[in-house]
Amino acid sequence: LLSNIAGAYTEKTSYWEVMDMGAYKKYAPETDKVLSETAMKVFVKESIADVAETDRDSDLTKAILALTAVGKDATKLYKENTNTPISALSKLNAAEQSTSAWSAPYTLAVYNREEYANREKEIALVNALLASQGENGEWDEFGTIDTTANAIAGLAFYMDDEDDEIKTKVEVAIGKALDYLSTQQNDNGSFSDSWSGANSNSTAMVAIALAAAGVDIENDARFIKNGKGIIDGLFRF
């Protein structure tokens, strides 16, 4: 399945698809399903142009994650015919940073690379995510399932934080969020969003969140319904 998906992405140049290909290469280092030379050149050129022109944190975060995923240094980007480097990380640090559950987790993913760490900004984003969690454990922003899963994935970086107070707060929040998601799982193992019912994206988002939080997604009883786990639910689609 993964090989087939990667085979369809070799000429793709969007941030998320390039990021996917970088992740797949790490998973399967011997694969021949990689971005073509042409696609890589187009992606890098367009990414540098985007970084040079934007001050939006979400745009910068996507560029940094995708560039890093394919082995590029996001702190030293050169536009054509110039020797002056542009640092996407410096621009991100200077940007006003969104606390949305659809932005902050990706910014936290950037900062959790050792060479990109920014403790002050990380803790501010973590605290903002913690403060926006609902009493029942959900995050409600354009629906609850995908949003809650995304928030878990971002906070999971801090489950073993060096600050005991942050660590405890994150563990409690993720525990509540996992309990909420457990109550929302369908009998066939899948998950539904607010608009289209059961779907592969929501199911995959929850699987990512569980993996990030260290949950055994095949054997944890909280996520097995009617004998069906989340992987069973995902493979329905």
Side-chain angles (χ1 to χ4, degrees):
L1 175 64
L2 294 180
S3 177
N4 286 340
I5 293 172
Y9 276 19
T10 58
E11 299 299 330
K12 301 293 187 180
T13 60
S14 75
Y15 287 127
W16 298 125
E17 290 160 329
V18 169
M19 199 183 309
D20 289 343
M21 292 296 275
Y24 180 65
K25 177 67 174 178
K26 185 175 181 180
Y27 168 80
E30 302 304 318
T31 183
D32 61 353
K33 308 293 179 59
V34 297
L35 286 179
S36 71
E37 184 177 346
T38 299
M40 180 69 80
K41 287 180 178 179
V42 170
F43 162 69
V44 171
K45 182 178 179 179
E46 291 180 349
S47 298
I48 293 172
D50 288 346
V51 168
E53 294 172 6
T54 187
D55 291 314
R56 290 185 59 197
D57 63 329
S58 57
D59 294 336
L60 293 164
T61 296
K62 284 189 293 186
I64 293 169
L65 289 173
L67 286 162
T68 303
V70 292
K72 306 300 180 182
D73 186 348
T75 68
K76 294 180 180 178
L77 304 173
Y78 295 87
K79 294 182 71 174
E80 286 186 317
N81 303 316
T82 177
N83 294 319
T84 304
I86 301 169
S87 172
L89 181 64
S90 295
K91 295 194 71 172
L92 176 63
N93 288 336
E96 181 178 351
Q97 295 189 354
S98 170
T99 58
S100 163
W102 286 108
S103 180
Y106 298 106
T107 306
L108 291 174
V110 169
Y111 286 143
N112 270 272
R113 290 192 63 85
E114 183 177 358
E115 68 271 32
Y116 296 161
N118 188 316
R119 184 68 177 177
E120 180 180 356
K121 292 184 179 295
E122 290 173 58
I123 298 306
L125 290 172
V126 168
N127 284 329
L129 282 175
L130 292 173
S132 62
Q133 185 178 26
E135 286 296 322
N136 66 349
E138 70 179 15
W139 277 266
D140 187 0
E141 189 180 342
F142 305 109
T144 61
I145 302 303
D146 301 40
T147 309
T148 299
N150 212 42
I152 290 172
L155 289 172
F157 290 112
Y158 300 88
M159 293 178 68
D160 296 314
D161 195 76
E162 60 190 23
D163 184 322
D164 287 341
E165 182 178 0
I166 291 293
K167 177 181 177 180
T168 299
K169 287 181 178 179
V170 167
E171 287 178 339
V172 169
I174 288 178
K176 289 174 61 178
L178 292 175
D179 288 343
Y180 167 73
L181 289 176
S182 176
T183 68
Q184 302 301 303
Q185 189 174 21
N186 299 319
D187 285 344
N188 58 24
S190 68
F191 283 82
S192 306
D193 65 22
S194 300
W195 297 279
S196 60
N199 67 92
S200 60
N201 183 73
S202 295
T203 306
M205 290 286 289
V206 175
I208 290 168
L210 301 188
V215 174
D216 182 344
I217 60 177
E218 292 188 294
N219 298 302
D220 192 304
R222 293 174 295 176
F223 294 96
I224 298 175
K225 302 294 190 294
N226 195 33
K228 301 294 185 181
I230 194 167
I231 300 302
D232 297 307
L234 185 60
F235 274 83
R236 290 184 65 251
F237 302 101

